[in-house]
Each structure stands twice: as structure tokens, then as C-alpha cells.
Amino acid sequence: MISDLFPSETARDVFSIDYERLYRLGYRGLLFDIDNTLVHHGDDSTPKIDALLARIKAMGFKLLMLSNNSEERIVRFLKNIDAEYIALADKPNPTSYHQACQKLGLKEKQVIVIGDQLITDIKGANLAGIASIHVHFIQLPEEKWIGWRRYIEYAILTLYRIQGNPRYKIERIEGDE
């Protein structure tokens, strides 16, 4: 079903997300994809990303990197970041999303997935019953070819903008405070 690929919300990038709003609404956990969400594919973290994640964590959020990458890749990325992780997550399989929530000690409705791929990050969140924010993938200026999957995602996002995602809206969590 195509609506399984629709995010709860979209944002230009991870710096454009209103984390204070999410916290006020009752969310307490953030599951981040790494490659092309936080940094360009394969890159180490940057001081700007380190500072953003430290600020988010200081707000009271629990962080977990949910990645299909190897443990070695994730540990290298987390060199300066205090966060949990699940490697080789097999996204979009919802099992790893549920494991992430358990690892953070949170219910699925208290967590938001943030990622750049509809077919892995967002679909997995929807299958697990978790709200999500889709961010535009990180593309270097010299990269001209983005791959067929990205063009398919553009078409899906056009449908999303027309229809929205009524199943997994980001809204106030009641009764968990």
C-alpha cells in the first residue's frame, strides 16, 4: 500500500525540525537514520551534528541510531555522541523499530523516526506504528545522479502532499506525562 510510505511530517533537514515542539507534545525518543539523514553517506559526524544531538539530548530526548549499516560504521559515527544504536537493523522490518523502543524504555507512541528514505526508514516506522519525519537526503553539489529510487520517492511525496498521512500524525500524546 502506497500510504505505508507516507511520513507523518516532512522537513528540509534535521536542523529544520522543531524539537522543542515535539518534546512539548510528549515525545521522548528519536530514532535517527545516519547516512544521508545526519551526514552524507559514509561520512563521520561533524561538529554541527554533534552539537545538534547534544542539544536534543539535553532537552530530555533519548536518542538511538537505527541503521542498516555495520556496527563498526555506527560506532565510528558516534565517536563524539552519547546515543544508543542498533546496527544491521534490516529496515523496513518493524522488529528493529520495536527493539529500539524497548532499548530506550519507551512506548512506540512516544518515539519518532527521522530518516531520508521512504522505502526503508518511513515504511518501517509505519509498519511499527511509529510517527516519522522525512528529511530531504543529503546530496553533495557535485553529485548529479541521485538514483531511480529517489525519483520514485519524489512521486510518492507528491501524492503524500496531496493526501497527507492521517494514520500517523504527530500530535499530543495524552496520559503519559
PDB file of all heavy atoms in Angstrom, residues 98-119:
ATOM      1  N   HIS A  98      10.718  -1.866  17.034  1.00  0.00           N
ATOM      2  CA  HIS A  98      10.199  -2.245  18.355  1.00  0.00           C
ATOM      3  C   HIS A  98      11.349  -2.476  19.335  1.00  0.00           C
ATOM      4  O   HIS A  98      11.267  -2.066  20.501  1.00  0.00           O
ATOM      5  CB  HIS A  98       9.319  -3.496  18.253  1.00  0.00           C
ATOM      6  CG  HIS A  98       8.077  -3.299  17.450  1.00  0.00           C
ATOM      7  ND1 HIS A  98       7.117  -2.358  17.755  1.00  0.00           N
ATOM      8  CD2 HIS A  98       7.630  -3.937  16.342  1.00  0.00           C
ATOM      9  CE1 HIS A  98       6.136  -2.413  16.861  1.00  0.00           C
ATOM     10  NE2 HIS A  98       6.429  -3.367  15.995  1.00  0.00           N
ATOM     11  N   GLN A  99      12.436  -3.105  18.878  1.00  0.00           N
ATOM     12  CA  GLN A  99      13.611  -3.313  19.729  1.00  0.00           C
ATOM     13  C   GLN A  99      14.203  -1.973  20.161  1.00  0.00           C
ATOM     14  O   GLN A  99      14.640  -1.826  21.308  1.00  0.00           O
ATOM     15  CB  GLN A  99      14.670  -4.133  18.997  1.00  0.00           C
ATOM     16  CG  GLN A  99      14.301  -5.576  18.800  1.00  0.00           C
ATOM     17  CD  GLN A  99      15.286  -6.308  17.888  1.00  0.00           C
ATOM     18  OE1 GLN A  99      16.051  -5.690  17.140  1.00  0.00           O
ATOM     19  NE2 GLN A  99      15.245  -7.627  17.941  1.00  0.00           N
ATOM     20  N   ALA A 100      14.208  -1.004  19.258  1.00  0.00           N
ATOM     21  CA  ALA A 100      14.734   0.327  19.579  1.00  0.00           C
ATOM     22  C   ALA A 100      13.915   0.970  20.691  1.00  0.00           C
ATOM     23  O   ALA A 100      14.472   1.542  21.632  1.00  0.00           O
ATOM     24  CB  ALA A 100      14.739   1.212  18.332  1.00  0.00           C
ATOM     25  N   CYS A 101      12.606   0.862  20.599  1.00  0.00           N
ATOM     26  CA  CYS A 101      11.741   1.427  21.642  1.00  0.00           C
ATOM     27  C   CYS A 101      12.002   0.742  22.981  1.00  0.00           C
ATOM     28  O   CYS A 101      12.096   1.412  24.018  1.00  0.00           O
ATOM     29  CB  CYS A 101      10.272   1.297  21.248  1.00  0.00           C
ATOM     30  SG  CYS A 101       9.829   2.310  19.818  1.00  0.00           S
ATOM     31  N   GLN A 102      12.132  -0.578  22.961  1.00  0.00           N
ATOM     32  CA  GLN A 102      12.429  -1.313  24.195  1.00  0.00           C
ATOM     33  C   GLN A 102      13.767  -0.890  24.774  1.00  0.00           C
ATOM     34  O   GLN A 102      13.898  -0.693  25.983  1.00  0.00           O
ATOM     35  CB  GLN A 102      12.432  -2.824  23.934  1.00  0.00           C
ATOM     36  CG  GLN A 102      11.061  -3.403  23.691  1.00  0.00           C
ATOM     37  CD  GLN A 102      11.130  -4.882  23.357  1.00  0.00           C
ATOM     38  OE1 GLN A 102      12.120  -5.381  22.833  1.00  0.00           O
ATOM     39  NE2 GLN A 102      10.037  -5.587  23.647  1.00  0.00           N
ATOM     40  N   LYS A 103      14.767  -0.737  23.909  1.00  0.00           N
ATOM     41  CA  LYS A 103      16.105  -0.326  24.348  1.00  0.00           C
ATOM     42  C   LYS A 103      16.072   1.050  25.023  1.00  0.00           C
ATOM     43  O   LYS A 103      16.802   1.303  25.969  1.00  0.00           O
ATOM     44  CB  LYS A 103      17.055  -0.320  23.149  1.00  0.00           C
ATOM     45  CG  LYS A 103      18.502  -0.365  23.494  1.00  0.00           C
ATOM     46  CD  LYS A 103      19.340  -0.668  22.254  1.00  0.00           C
ATOM     47  CE  LYS A 103      20.749  -0.966  22.678  1.00  0.00           C
ATOM     48  NZ  LYS A 103      21.597  -1.416  21.598  1.00  0.00           N
ATOM     49  N   LEU A 104      15.187   1.923  24.533  1.00  0.00           N
ATOM     50  CA  LEU A 104      15.046   3.263  25.114  1.00  0.00           C
ATOM     51  C   LEU A 104      14.092   3.282  26.307  1.00  0.00           C
ATOM     52  O   LEU A 104      13.993   4.292  26.998  1.00  0.00           O
ATOM     53  CB  LEU A 104      14.556   4.254  24.053  1.00  0.00           C
ATOM     54  CG  LEU A 104      15.509   4.539  22.904  1.00  0.00           C
ATOM     55  CD1 LEU A 104      14.869   5.480  21.901  1.00  0.00           C
ATOM     56  CD2 LEU A 104      16.841   5.083  23.399  1.00  0.00           C
ATOM     57  N   GLY A 105      13.366   2.187  26.516  1.00  0.00           N
ATOM     58  CA  GLY A 105      12.389   2.128  27.605  1.00  0.00           C
ATOM     59  C   GLY A 105      11.159   2.977  27.336  1.00  0.00           C
ATOM     60  O   GLY A 105      10.556   3.518  28.269  1.00  0.00           O
ATOM     61  N   LEU A 106      10.779   3.101  26.068  1.00  0.00           N
ATOM     62  CA  LEU A 106       9.649   3.943  25.673  1.00  0.00           C
ATOM     63  C   LEU A 106       8.637   3.141  24.865  1.00  0.00           C
ATOM     64  O   LEU A 106       8.972   2.133  24.248  1.00  0.00           O
ATOM     65  CB  LEU A 106      10.146   5.125  24.827  1.00  0.00           C
ATOM     66  CG  LEU A 106      11.090   6.104  25.517  1.00  0.00           C
ATOM     67  CD1 LEU A 106      11.691   7.070  24.508  1.00  0.00           C
ATOM     68  CD2 LEU A 106      10.383   6.848  26.636  1.00  0.00           C
ATOM     69  N   LYS A 107       7.403   3.629  24.860  1.00  0.00           N
ATOM     70  CA  LYS A 107       6.357   3.053  24.018  1.00  0.00           C
ATOM     71  C   LYS A 107       6.495   3.631  22.616  1.00  0.00           C
ATOM     72  O   LYS A 107       6.997   4.746  22.439  1.00  0.00           O
ATOM     73  CB  LYS A 107       4.980   3.401  24.582  1.00  0.00           C
ATOM     74  CG  LYS A 107       4.729   2.832  25.955  1.00  0.00           C
ATOM     75  CD  LYS A 107       3.412   3.333  26.500  1.00  0.00           C
ATOM     76  CE  LYS A 107       3.254   2.866  27.940  1.00  0.00           C
ATOM     77  NZ  LYS A 107       2.141   3.522  28.607  1.00  0.00           N
ATOM     78  N   GLU A 108       5.998   2.893  21.640  1.00  0.00           N
ATOM     79  CA  GLU A 108       6.088   3.338  20.245  1.00  0.00           C
ATOM     80  C   GLU A 108       5.464   4.714  20.042  1.00  0.00           C
ATOM     81  O   GLU A 108       5.972   5.515  19.261  1.00  0.00           O
ATOM     82  CB  GLU A 108       5.429   2.309  19.314  1.00  0.00           C
ATOM     83  CG  GLU A 108       6.262   1.078  19.031  1.00  0.00           C
ATOM     84  CD  GLU A 108       6.345   0.059  20.170  1.00  0.00           C
ATOM     85  OE1 GLU A 108       5.728   0.265  21.244  1.00  0.00           O
ATOM     86  OE2 GLU A 108       7.040  -0.958  19.993  1.00  0.00           O
ATOM     87  N   LYS A 109       4.399   5.005  20.756  1.00  0.00           N
ATOM     88  CA  LYS A 109       3.742   6.302  20.555  1.00  0.00           C
ATOM     89  C   LYS A 109       4.546   7.470  21.143  1.00  0.00           C
ATOM     90  O   LYS A 109       4.218   8.625  20.897  1.00  0.00           O
ATOM     91  CB  LYS A 109       2.324   6.289  21.114  1.00  0.00           C
ATOM     92  CG  LYS A 109       2.224   6.189  22.614  1.00  0.00           C
ATOM     93  CD  LYS A 109       0.768   6.193  23.031  1.00  0.00           C
ATOM     94  CE  LYS A 109       0.617   6.151  24.531  1.00  0.00           C
ATOM     95  NZ  LYS A 109      -0.773   6.269  24.924  1.00  0.00           N
ATOM     96  N   GLN A 110       5.620   7.189  21.890  1.00  0.00           N
ATOM     97  CA  GLN A 110       6.462   8.236  22.464  1.00  0.00           C
ATOM     98  C   GLN A 110       7.696   8.524  21.613  1.00  0.00           C
ATOM     99  O   GLN A 110       8.524   9.339  21.985  1.00  0.00           O
ATOM    100  CB  GLN A 110       6.941   7.814  23.859  1.00  0.00           C
ATOM    101  CG  GLN A 110       5.846   7.662  24.880  1.00  0.00           C
ATOM    102  CD  GLN A 110       6.410   7.128  26.184  1.00  0.00           C
ATOM    103  OE1 GLN A 110       6.856   5.991  26.268  1.00  0.00           O
ATOM    104  NE2 GLN A 110       6.401   7.978  27.194  1.00  0.00           N
ATOM    105  N   VAL A 111       7.803   7.842  20.476  1.00  0.00           N
ATOM    106  CA  VAL A 111       9.017   7.872  19.665  1.00  0.00           C
ATOM    107  C   VAL A 111       8.710   8.396  18.266  1.00  0.00           C
ATOM    108  O   VAL A 111       7.616   8.197  17.747  1.00  0.00           O
ATOM    109  CB  VAL A 111       9.617   6.448  19.592  1.00  0.00           C
ATOM    110  CG1 VAL A 111      10.789   6.377  18.641  1.00  0.00           C
ATOM    111  CG2 VAL A 111      10.024   5.977  20.986  1.00  0.00           C
ATOM    112  N   ILE A 112       9.696   9.040  17.667  1.00  0.00           N
ATOM    113  CA  ILE A 112       9.596   9.500  16.278  1.00  0.00           C
ATOM    114  C   ILE A 112      10.833   9.030  15.529  1.00  0.00           C
ATOM    115  O   ILE A 112      11.955   9.141  16.024  1.00  0.00           O
ATOM    116  CB  ILE A 112       9.484  11.039  16.193  1.00  0.00           C
ATOM    117  CG1 ILE A 112       8.172  11.491  16.827  1.00  0.00           C
ATOM    118  CG2 ILE A 112       9.571  11.515  14.745  1.00  0.00           C
ATOM    119  CD1 ILE A 112       7.946  12.977  16.828  1.00  0.00           C
ATOM    120  N   VAL A 113      10.613   8.519  14.323  1.00  0.00           N
ATOM    121  CA  VAL A 113      11.694   8.112  13.433  1.00  0.00           C
ATOM    122  C   VAL A 113      12.012   9.285  12.516  1.00  0.00           C
ATOM    123  O   VAL A 113      11.096   9.916  11.974  1.00  0.00           O
ATOM    124  CB  VAL A 113      11.278   6.879  12.589  1.00  0.00           C
ATOM    125  CG1 VAL A 113      12.315   6.581  11.519  1.00  0.00           C
ATOM    126  CG2 VAL A 113      11.036   5.682  13.487  1.00  0.00           C
ATOM    127  N   ILE A 114      13.305   9.555  12.327  1.00  0.00           N
ATOM    128  CA  ILE A 114      13.736  10.622  11.425  1.00  0.00           C
ATOM    129  C   ILE A 114      14.687  10.007  10.403  1.00  0.00           C
ATOM    130  O   ILE A 114      15.726   9.459  10.774  1.00  0.00           O
ATOM    131  CB  ILE A 114      14.415  11.768  12.195  1.00  0.00           C
ATOM    132  CG1 ILE A 114      13.434  12.356  13.220  1.00  0.00           C
ATOM    133  CG2 ILE A 114      14.926  12.840  11.225  1.00  0.00           C
ATOM    134  CD1 ILE A 114      14.048  13.327  14.197  1.00  0.00           C
ATOM    135  N   GLY A 115      14.298  10.079   9.118  1.00  0.00           N
ATOM    136  CA  GLY A 115      15.123   9.477   8.086  1.00  0.00           C
ATOM    137  C   GLY A 115      14.872  10.062   6.715  1.00  0.00           C
ATOM    138  O   GLY A 115      13.914  10.800   6.506  1.00  0.00           O
ATOM    139  N   ASP A 116      15.740   9.697   5.777  1.00  0.00           N
ATOM    140  CA  ASP A 116      15.682  10.257   4.424  1.00  0.00           C
ATOM    141  C   ASP A 116      15.058   9.328   3.395  1.00  0.00           C
ATOM    142  O   ASP A 116      14.777   9.763   2.289  1.00  0.00           O
ATOM    143  CB  ASP A 116      17.093  10.627   3.950  1.00  0.00           C
ATOM    144  CG  ASP A 116      17.949   9.396   3.693  1.00  0.00           C
ATOM    145  OD1 ASP A 116      18.213   8.641   4.649  1.00  0.00           O
ATOM    146  OD2 ASP A 116      18.339   9.170   2.534  1.00  0.00           O
ATOM    147  N   GLN A 117      14.832   8.060   3.730  1.00  0.00           N
ATOM    148  CA  GLN A 117      14.314   7.120   2.737  1.00  0.00           C
ATOM    149  C   GLN A 117      12.904   6.655   3.078  1.00  0.00           C
ATOM    150  O   GLN A 117      12.661   6.131   4.165  1.00  0.00           O
ATOM    151  CB  GLN A 117      15.223   5.898   2.625  1.00  0.00           C
ATOM    152  CG  GLN A 117      16.558   6.212   1.992  1.00  0.00           C
ATOM    153  CD  GLN A 117      17.303   4.950   1.626  1.00  0.00           C
ATOM    154  OE1 GLN A 117      16.755   4.063   0.989  1.00  0.00           O
ATOM    155  NE2 GLN A 117      18.559   4.891   2.040  1.00  0.00           N
ATOM    156  N   LEU A 118      12.011   6.850   2.133  1.00  0.00           N
ATOM    157  CA  LEU A 118      10.628   6.414   2.332  1.00  0.00           C
ATOM    158  C   LEU A 118      10.531   4.892   2.383  1.00  0.00           C
ATOM    159  O   LEU A 118       9.771   4.331   3.175  1.00  0.00           O
ATOM    160  CB  LEU A 118       9.742   6.933   1.194  1.00  0.00           C
ATOM    161  CG  LEU A 118       9.616   8.443   1.053  1.00  0.00           C
ATOM    162  CD1 LEU A 118       8.759   8.782  -0.167  1.00  0.00           C
ATOM    163  CD2 LEU A 118       9.031   9.061   2.303  1.00  0.00           C
ATOM    164  N   ILE A 119      11.313   4.226   1.544  1.00  0.00           N
ATOM    165  CA  ILE A 119      11.175   2.781   1.373  1.00  0.00           C
ATOM    166  C   ILE A 119      11.773   2.004   2.547  1.00  0.00           C
ATOM    167  O   ILE A 119      11.385   0.864   2.782  1.00  0.00           O
ATOM    168  CB  ILE A 119      11.785   2.359   0.020  1.00  0.00           C
ATOM    169  CG1 ILE A 119      10.972   3.018  -1.111  1.00  0.00           C
ATOM    170  CG2 ILE A 119      11.821   0.856  -0.153  1.00  0.00           C
ATOM    171  CD1 ILE A 119      11.607   2.956  -2.475  1.00  0.00           C
TER     172      ILE A 119
END
